[in-house]
Amino acid sequence: DAKTTQPPSMDCAEGRAANLPCNHSTISGNEYVYWYRQIHSQGPQYIIHGLKNNETNEMASLIITEDRKSSTLILPHATLRDTAVYYCIVREYGNKLVFGAGTILRVKS
Amino acid sequence: GAGVSQSPSNKVTEKGKDVELRCDPISGHTALYWYRQSLGQGLEFLIYFQGNSAPDKSGLPSDRFSAERTGGSVSTLTIQRTQQEDSAVYLCASSLEGLEAEAFFGQGTRLTVV
């Protein structure tokens, strides 16, 4: 019952910015957008989250459109270690985290 | 420990046996999740404990699956009469309550039913 749509895979050159899109057209006013990633054979790792405003931390930036129906996760300088599955999640009422299929990001040298 | 701890890290069991998987969340975290991930697949939500509220069991695939959280801390996921299709990595996560809290995941228990 994931409420987000992401491309199944993307490639990015090492050192370049990786821009991962996510559509969440049915998001409601008090739902947050979260991004997690899962590197092979590891548990998922939190990256960033936001409600309305753009957010930035040491890992990434999150750009949310004004209508909140889509967002983009930006890894400013992708490295080979950023190769992972990236999950965009809209948090449902009751705080349950539901993961969709995600985007496989391949960073290539 | 500093993170979410799961045990055992690997479990091989015979079809039809019961298994118990344990999760020790981060101290003070009131929310706890269980997920499972089959080979090459995404994360499948199983159950969610949030503070003193009734757990959200909507993801449990059958009545062979159950989970408890004792004293608001340690959680045990029990699978009765295991089947081969239960083979997967079972992941536990914990977080503080609230929409802004990030979830921290353990390394998972790899269950193999033979």
Side-chain angles (χ1 to χ4, degrees):
Chain A
D1 292 347
K3 298 171 66 173
T4 63
T5 304
Q6 299 178 253
S9 66
M10 293 182 63
D11 290 340
C12 177
E14 189 178 20
R16 304 298 295 269
N19 296 277
L20 293 94
C22 180
N23 287 321
H24 31 79
S25 59
T26 61
I27 193 170
S28 65
N30 57 357
E31 288 181 314
Y32 284 71
V33 179
Y34 296 79
W35 284 83
Y36 283 75
R37 73 179 182 184
Q38 187 174 24
I39 296 171
H40 183 61
S41 298
Q42 297 183 20
Q45 174 192 24
Y46 165 85
I47 302 173
I48 199 168
H49 75 277
L51 180 63
K52 297 179 184 178
N53 301 321
N54 298 336
E55 303 287 345
T56 296
N57 63 20
E58 64 278 5
M59 289 182 67
S61 294
L62 174 60
I63 308 299
I64 302 174
T65 57
E66 190 170 344
D67 64 8
R68 303 212 321 125
K69 292 186 177 181
S70 66
S71 60
T72 301
L73 178 75
I74 301 172
L75 307 179
H77 305 288
T79 71
L80 297 178
R81 290 190 300 271
D82 292 321
T83 292
V85 180
Y86 286 78
Y87 298 98
C88 171
I89 302 165
V90 168
R91 198 158 198 187
E92 300 177 358
Y93 178 76
N95 301 353
K96 182 171 64 179
L97 275 175
V98 177
F99 288 77
T103 296
I104 299 171
L105 175 68
R106 301 184 192 90
V107 181
K108 300 183 175 181
S109 58
Chain B
V4 177
S5 177
Q6 293 188 245
S7 60
S9 55
N10 283 283
K11 175 73 175 178
V12 180
T13 189
E14 292 181 352
K15 178 181 173 182
K17 300 284 189 183
D18 298 351
V19 294
E20 287 189 352
L21 311 180
R22 178 186 169 103
C23 173
D24 284 88
I26 293 172
S27 178
H29 280 193
T30 52
L32 187 147
Y33 306 80
W34 282 98
Y35 297 86
R36 78 175 172 182
Q37 189 168 33
S38 301
L39 188 62
Q41 303 298 310
L43 279 82
E44 177 186 3
F45 167 79
L46 296 178
I47 189 168
Y48 168 53
F49 297 89
Q50 181 189 20
N52 296 321
S53 302
D56 181 338
K57 303 180 181 180
S58 59
L60 294 178
S62 76
D63 58 7
R64 295 187 296 106
F65 288 73
S66 63
E68 291 185 342
R69 189 175 186 193
T70 54
S73 180
V74 172
S75 178
T76 302
L77 177 69
T78 301
I79 308 173
Q80 296 179 310
R81 306 181 302 280
T82 53
Q83 304 295 314
Q84 287 186 329
E85 59 263 30
D86 299 334
S87 296
V89 175
Y90 289 81
L91 289 157
C92 175
S94 72
S95 74
L96 295 169
E97 284 194 33
L99 280 172
E100 297 212 55
E102 65 177 278
F104 294 84
F105 282 78
Q107 290 302 301
T109 293
R110 181 175 298 278
L111 175 66
T112 304
V113 182
V114 298

